[in-house]
Amino acid sequence: MTIEAIQKINAEMQKKPTDQYTEIIGHYVIDRCGDDVTAALILKDGKTLEGAMKAVMGAASKVKHGNVAVLTPAQVFGEVDRYFSMTTDLKAQQKALAGLGAPVQVADEREPAKKLGLDLARFW
């Protein structure tokens, strides 16, 4: 099922090979195809990459000021997630942004420091 979802999105991307936005969103959706549950959401009848792009444009039109509409990356990916009924995946969003050469915040995955209790009264 995962392969079919990837092929579906890739085929749509190939229809617009010079459209940078379709490429970014397409790669984001492909990166989300890692499990059968998400792949099934992407393969759902009527759901397309073009439809996801229209959902993003619809969200942008709601915040349009003159000829300018600006959405944050989280808002763009959020619209794509809502369109396909996917849960939010911050790591996938960061990977998509990193693929553009954009600076991304890397989460510190080290163990949190252990607390140290010190009773100075023992020394007096």
Side-chain angles (χ1 to χ4, degrees):
M1 189 174 295
T2 300
I3 292 172
E4 291 89 356
I6 292 170
Q7 289 173 336
K8 173 184 174 178
I9 298 302
N10 189 47
E12 282 193 78
M13 290 171 64
Q14 296 308 312
K15 292 177 185 176
K16 296 182 177 183
T18 60
D19 185 342
Q20 179 183 12
Y21 302 108
T22 298
E23 181 178 350
I24 293 165
I25 300 301
H27 282 292
Y28 172 71
V29 173
I30 286 172
D31 287 345
R32 299 296 311 274
C33 292
D35 61 79
D36 285 341
V37 173
T38 305
L41 295 171
I42 294 165
L43 287 170
K44 193 172 181 181
D45 283 342
K47 296 294 180 177
T48 63
L49 182 57
E50 183 178 351
M53 297 296 294
K54 286 180 180 178
V56 171
M57 294 297 290
S61 70
K62 293 176 185 173
V63 296
K64 188 174 179 182
H65 298 285
N67 291 330
V68 177
V70 177
L71 296 176
T72 66
Q75 290 171 313
V76 171
F77 295 129
E79 286 302 317
V80 173
D81 291 343
R82 273 188 287 285
Y83 175 78
F84 284 109
S85 300
M86 299 185 294
T87 59
T88 300
D89 184 337
L90 296 177
K91 286 185 180 182
Q93 291 179 14
Q94 288 182 345
K95 182 178 179 184
L97 291 172
L100 299 171
V104 295
Q105 182 179 6
V106 178
D108 188 356
E109 296 182 8
R110 294 178 288 173
E111 292 279 330
K114 293 189 170 130
K115 293 184 179 181
L116 175 65
L118 184 60
D119 183 4
L120 295 177
R122 287 186 9 204
F123 298 106
W124 302 104

